[in-house]
């Protein structure tokens, strides 16, 4: 797998991050490492990171930020904090009964990292400190629910290198948790990062369970591993395989279940797909996708996308239609289901542009198409769905001049008017997009209180860069429906850091 832009960005900024940037750190006490012996029934981590993970696991929530802050001041690197956070999560938080809820403590790590990379120098530690505090909440919930902790792999069942891939594929196809756990331990010791990504992206996108969290976990896990190092991969990918095999009781390998049907049909479509010799951007392809999403079924939209791409429409134009459609769903019913249309689409798009496997690329495109109507239908049980159309969203008074601060001020009072104000600010001013994104991210730093705040903002701010300029303004205007207004209260973690400063 080639070096990603995220890792390049990390390497460029790691020196600044490692030095620390929060003033309150100067007053924190120095804390010694906890060198207690590790429980023999607990999965071992790399020796260089084990003490830090133990510190994160064992320190009380009301003291953890100060403990980590003291170590940062003495030289603890940003990359190590990121690694410790992810590994503490996979070892202590079970991705059951859902790959969501408390497990967001793991899912959000990459989003916090992306926010840190893109944030201003004096605030870059805030997302990771928020994520550390969030982990302690999830750890407590996990302890109350089950007390689950990841155990070592059963070495007697780990396949040899020549057998590892076949054994893993068979286990995943059969939804066999025990066999998959042993197989992935053998596979990760021999396969390349690219080979592993293709396998996990395939299985992470095959079914519509847990509203997209499976493929979100795949992409976030691999993106963090690309930064912290692949010597940490085994426990992460064991947790990931366990998450991907979550189902609702009946073995999907032996049943024809609704969450699996689109994937099975799209796998066949992808296998038979023959790309056109020439592709071209086409506004009509974008509007066709958007129109079909409003009324069509999961199968209808997948077939529309297949027809468009086989007839020469550029995939980018198809993705534009899906991004716009996801933004429209958010506008129609701002809520937990609609926001996941965008975070799931972000993950599928990342898989699409990362894999070198043409069939997998087409499969993720088609699964993105099928998932959107499924999200739309799932919204019906959540209450009223509006009828606003993103391509008909109009700016406010064209003769008046609006500013980015006005967008976020309005957002605290009226989301639709804030979107119209955003469109007014963005219209005819390419530089305003960066200002809108930067201010939105800053407000998440200060006022974000939920994993979804970080996951959502990281997703849409990344995706905006891939959308055709013709449509980008409307997409960004729609996304303000789940950002933070400037009048929202600061998050408790920020208040805590200010108290530490005082």
């Amino acid at each position: 797998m080639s070096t990603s832009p995220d890792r390049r960005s990390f390497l460029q900024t790691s020196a600044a991050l490692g030095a620390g940037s929060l003033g309150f750190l100067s007053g924190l006490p120095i804390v010694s490492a906890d060198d207690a012996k590790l429980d023999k029934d607990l999965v071992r981590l790399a020796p260089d990171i084990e003490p830090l993970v133990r510190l994160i696991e064992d320190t009380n929530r009301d003291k953890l930020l100060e403990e980590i802050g003291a170590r940062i001041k003495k030289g603890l690197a940003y990359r190590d904090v990121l690694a410790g956070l992810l590994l503490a999560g996979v070892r202590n938080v079970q991705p059951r009964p859902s790959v969501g809820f408390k497990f967001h403590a793991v899912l959000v790590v990459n989003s916090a990292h992306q926010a840190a990379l893109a944030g201003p120098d004096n605030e870059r530690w805030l997302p990771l400190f928020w994520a550390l505090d969030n982990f302690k909440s999830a750890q407590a919930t996990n302890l109350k629910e089950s007390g689950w902790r990841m155990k070592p792999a059963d070495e007697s069942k780990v396949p040899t290198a020549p057998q590892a891939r076949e054994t893993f594929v068979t286990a995943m196809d059969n939804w066999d948790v025990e066999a998959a756990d042993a197989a992935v331990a053998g596979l990760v010791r021999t396969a390349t990062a690219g080979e592993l990504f293709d396998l996990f992206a395939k299985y992470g996108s095959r079914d519509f369970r847990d509203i997209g969290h499976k493929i979100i976990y795949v992409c976030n896990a691999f993106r963090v591993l690309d930064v912290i190092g692949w010597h940490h991969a085994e426990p992460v990918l064991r947790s990931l395989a366990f998450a991907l095999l979550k189902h609702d009781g009946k073995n999907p390998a032996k049943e024809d279940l609704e969450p699996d049907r689109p994937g099975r049909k799209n796998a066949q479509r992808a296998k038979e797909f023959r790309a056109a010799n020439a592709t071209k951007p086409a506004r009509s392809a974008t509007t066709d996708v958007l129109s079909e999403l409003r009324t069509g079924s999961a199968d209808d939209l997948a077939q529309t996308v297949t027809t468009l791409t086989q007839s020469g429409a550029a995939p980018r134009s198809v993705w534009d239609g899906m991004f716009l459609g996801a933004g429209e769903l958010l506008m129609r019913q701002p809520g937990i289901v609609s926001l996941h249309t965008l975070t799931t689409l972000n993950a599928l798009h990342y898989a699409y542009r990362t894999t070198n496997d043409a069939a997998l690329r087409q499969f993720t495109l088609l699964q993105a198409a099928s998932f959107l109507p499924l999200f739309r239908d799932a919204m019906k049980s959540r209450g009223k769905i509006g009828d606003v159309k993103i391509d008909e969203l109009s700016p406010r008074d064209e003769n008046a001049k609006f500013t980015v601060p006005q967008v976020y001020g309005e957002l605290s009072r009226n989301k639709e008017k804030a979107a119209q104000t955003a469109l007014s600010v963005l219209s005819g001013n390419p530089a305003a997009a960066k200002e809108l994104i930067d201010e939105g991210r800053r407000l998440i730093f200060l006022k974000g209180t939920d994993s979804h705040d970080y996951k959502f903002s990281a997703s849409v701010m990344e995706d905006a860069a891939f959308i055709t300029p013709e449509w980008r303004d409307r997409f960004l205007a729609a996304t303000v429906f789940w950002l933070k207004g400037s009048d929202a209260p600061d998050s408790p973690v920020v208040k805590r850091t200010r108290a530490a400063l005082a």
Side-chain angles (χ1 to χ4, degrees), residues 3 35 62 76 126 149 152 165 167 169 180 187 222 242 246 291 305 325 332 342 373 382 390 396 438 477:
T3 302
D35 294 322
D62 61 354
L76 178 63
L126 279 175
R149 298 186 82 187
R165 181 186 176 92
T167 304
V169 168
L187 184 65
F222 275 79
F242 184 41
K246 186 263 178 179
S291 177
V305 168
R332 290 185 169 190
L342 287 150
R382 296 277 176 158
I390 193 170
R396 294 179 67 180
D438 287 347

Side-chain angles (χ1 to χ4, degrees), residues 334 410-411 413-420 477 480-483:
E410 191 66 60
L411 185 57
R413 297 179 292 275
N414 187 313
K415 295 180 186 296
E416 186 169 351
K417 187 173 286 187
Q420 292 176 315
V480 304
F481 273 72
W482 200 267
L483 295 179

Side-chain angles (χ1 to χ4, degrees), residues 181-362:
D181 185 61
V184 74
L187 184 65
V188 75
R189 299 170 191 177
T190 58
T192 67
E195 290 169 340
L196 289 167
F197 181 81
D198 286 352
L199 282 171
F200 278 92
K202 170 189 172 184
Y203 290 113
S205 58
R206 69 176 168 179
D207 66 301
F208 189 71
R209 291 181 177 84
D210 291 329
I211 57 173
H213 284 120
K214 291 185 178 184
I215 188 61
I216 290 171
Y217 186 16
V218 171
C219 294
N220 285 358
F222 275 79
R223 295 177 79 162
V224 177
L225 284 170
D226 197 34
V227 175
I228 66 176
W230 280 86
H231 59 295
H232 296 307
E234 187 171 323
V236 177
L237 298 190
R238 286 180 61 211
S239 168
L240 180 55
F242 184 41
L244 299 189
L245 292 174
K246 186 263 178 179
H247 57 81
D248 302 318
K250 294 182 179 180
N251 186 335
K254 300 177 181 179
E255 304 283 345
D256 178 26
L257 303 175
E258 188 174 351
D260 305 301
R261 289 171 191 158
R264 288 171 179 168
K265 193 160 187 179
N266 286 333
Q268 187 61 34
R269 284 189 175 110
K271 184 178 179 180
E272 297 171 354
F273 180 78
R274 297 294 180 269
N277 291 330
T279 57
K280 54 186 180 299
R283 192 178 197 278
S284 61
T286 300
T287 56
D288 285 350
V289 170
L290 182 58
S291 177
E292 187 68 64
L293 171 57
R294 289 168 179 157
T295 58
S297 68
D299 190 61
D300 291 337
L301 189 53
Q303 185 55 54
T304 294
V305 168
T306 299
T307 301
L308 286 169
T309 50
Q310 284 191 324
S311 63
R316 181 177 182 180
S317 297
V318 172
W319 281 107
D320 281 348
M322 291 194 288
F323 281 124
L324 290 171
E328 183 174 284
L329 291 175
L330 180 72
M331 295 170 66
R332 290 185 169 190
Q333 189 193 79
I336 200 69
V337 176
S338 59
L339 80 86
H340 280 96
T341 65
L342 287 150
T343 55
T344 301
L345 201 59
N346 170 265
L348 288 164
H349 187 248
Y350 177 81
Y352 174 87
R353 68 179 194 267
T354 299
T355 182
N356 290 317
D357 183 324
L360 178 58
R361 187 179 302 114
Q362 186 66 15

Side-chain angles (χ1 to χ4, degrees), residues 102-164:
K102 67 181 181 296
F103 199 68
H104 276 101
V106 175
L107 298 176
V108 79
V109 173
N110 177 65
S111 302
H113 167 60
Q114 295 300 316
L117 288 181
D121 290 346
N122 64 342
E123 294 176 340
R124 278 190 173 135
W125 280 109
L126 279 175
L128 254 62
F129 273 47
W130 178 89
L132 284 163
D133 183 72
N134 186 54
F135 161 72
K136 297 303 294 185
S137 174
Q139 183 187 30
T141 300
N142 185 83
L143 182 62
K144 182 179 180 180
E145 287 181 355
S146 67
W148 177 93
R149 298 186 82 187
M150 182 181 284
K151 296 181 178 180
D154 185 344
E155 293 295 334
S156 68
K157 297 181 179 178
V158 174
T160 61
Q163 299 172 323

